[in-house]
Amino acid sequence: AQKVTQAQTEISVVEKEDVTLDCVYETRDTTYYLFWYKQPPSGELVFLIRRNSFDEQNEISGRYSWNFQKSTSSFNFTITASQVVDSAVYFCALSSGDTGRRALTFGSGTRLQVQP
Amino acid sequence: EAQVTQNPRYLITVTGKKLTVTCSQNMNHEYMSWYRQDPGLGLRQIYYSMNVEVTDKGDVPEGYKVSRKEKRNFPLILESPSPNQTSLYFCASSRTRTDTQYFGPGTRLTVL
């Protein structure tokens, strides 16, 4: 069985603060893929990043960065110098590469509120 | 423009009245999937399809049906909707099962 835990239900920060969203996953597979999606107030799901289990390099894209650590089964997401437009619900998701049935197992999401 | 479309975007119906939510993608993706989103639960997979005429149950398939007669379309059918199926539904597609899934805009369904 696989599981994704986002322990932070809601985070509130003030604009320009850095914020880290935690994601811890469980899987027995050696090949798997991790994702982050953003759901702004308008409701659509926006893809942010996909990372496979063999690539532990951290990634930076503008103000966004991701820290993948297999040793702790974590794939955390940091927003640097947060902006009001970053206010959204963020989902971490896991896809198994070895077993067949499901595409994505989602965490329950973290709601980020960035106050001006 | 590459996209996944869903219709309707909003639907209010009554218990027991059959309904279909359509989903279409123009990216020639093999894999398509339906999810429902409920507060505090994240997204849960209802059904998925690996290719035309190949469908299988996800985590919460009870009360739903799907079909995949063409590659681009993957309708979700509620034969006899009940209030516990009130939810936000998303269709998604990807090139393969483990590739990035791209989501439609969502369908907000209310069953009275």
Side-chain angles (χ1 to χ4, degrees):
Chain A
Q2 50 189 43
K3 185 179 178 182
V4 175
T5 301
Q6 295 179 256
Q8 304 151 308
T9 305
E10 188 160 343
I11 301 174
S12 183
V13 299
V14 176
E15 211 169 15
K16 297 183 184 168
E17 281 186 31
D18 298 348
V19 58
T20 295
L21 309 182
D22 297 332
C23 172
V24 174
Y25 62 91
E26 295 175 29
T27 181
R28 293 194 199 118
D29 299 327
T30 54
T31 303
Y32 52 90
Y33 303 84
L34 294 161
F35 302 81
W36 277 94
Y37 285 86
K38 174 183 179 180
Q39 187 175 41
S42 50
E44 73 271 24
L45 283 158
V46 178
F47 164 73
L48 295 177
I49 191 171
R50 173 181 183 264
R51 176 55 51 86
N52 76 57
S53 54
F54 299 107
D55 181 5
E56 282 193 75
Q57 253 191 332
N58 291 334
E59 179 150 343
I60 298 174
S61 176
R63 295 184 297 106
Y64 294 172
S65 62
W66 290 269
N67 183 354
F68 176 29
Q69 291 198 332
K70 285 177 79 170
S71 60
T72 56
S73 297
S74 64
F75 187 44
N76 296 337
F77 173 31
T78 296
I79 302 175
T80 302
S82 58
Q83 300 177 1
V84 172
V85 293
D86 295 326
S87 296
V89 180
Y90 291 87
F91 291 98
C92 181
L94 167 68
S95 173
S96 165
D98 295 339
T99 58
R101 273 191 87 233
R102 304 185 182 91
L104 289 180
T105 298
F106 281 84
S108 54
T110 296
R111 181 179 299 277
L112 173 65
Q113 299 213 358
V114 182
Q115 311 286 353
Chain B
E1 180 193 352
Q3 59 182 355
V4 180
T5 57
Q6 293 178 228
N7 283 291
R9 295 290 311 280
Y10 302 91
L11 178 60
I12 300 175
T13 188
V14 296
T15 298
K17 185 175 181 183
K18 181 179 178 180
L19 66 92
T20 299
V21 184
T22 64
C23 172
S24 183
Q25 51 94 5
N26 63 1
M27 296 170 278
N28 201 37
H29 284 169
E30 290 191 349
Y31 193 100
M32 298 187 73
S33 187
W34 276 102
Y35 296 87
R36 60 178 288 173
Q37 182 180 10
D38 302 291
L41 296 176
L43 283 89
R44 294 177 293 168
Q45 192 179 43
I46 303 170
Y47 268 95
Y48 64 94
S49 169
M50 301 285 281
N51 213 326
V52 175
E53 301 292 2
V54 181
T55 64
D56 205 351
K57 298 176 182 178
D59 292 317
V60 287
E62 293 76 24
Y64 305 95
K65 285 175 58 177
V66 293
S67 69
R68 186 95 180 269
K69 293 183 169 46
E70 308 165 278
K71 199 170 188 178
R72 63 182 293 129
N73 296 324
F74 190 44
L76 179 69
I77 302 156
L78 285 71
E79 295 263 358
S80 182
S82 62
N84 64 13
Q85 292 178 298
T86 292
S87 188
L88 178 58
Y89 291 87
F90 287 98
C91 179
S93 75
S94 58
R95 190 174 59 86
T96 67
R97 184 178 61 80
T98 56
D99 276 330
T100 298
Q101 290 201 19
Y102 295 95
F103 286 80
T107 295
R108 188 165 292 281
L109 171 66
T110 301
V111 183
L112 302 174

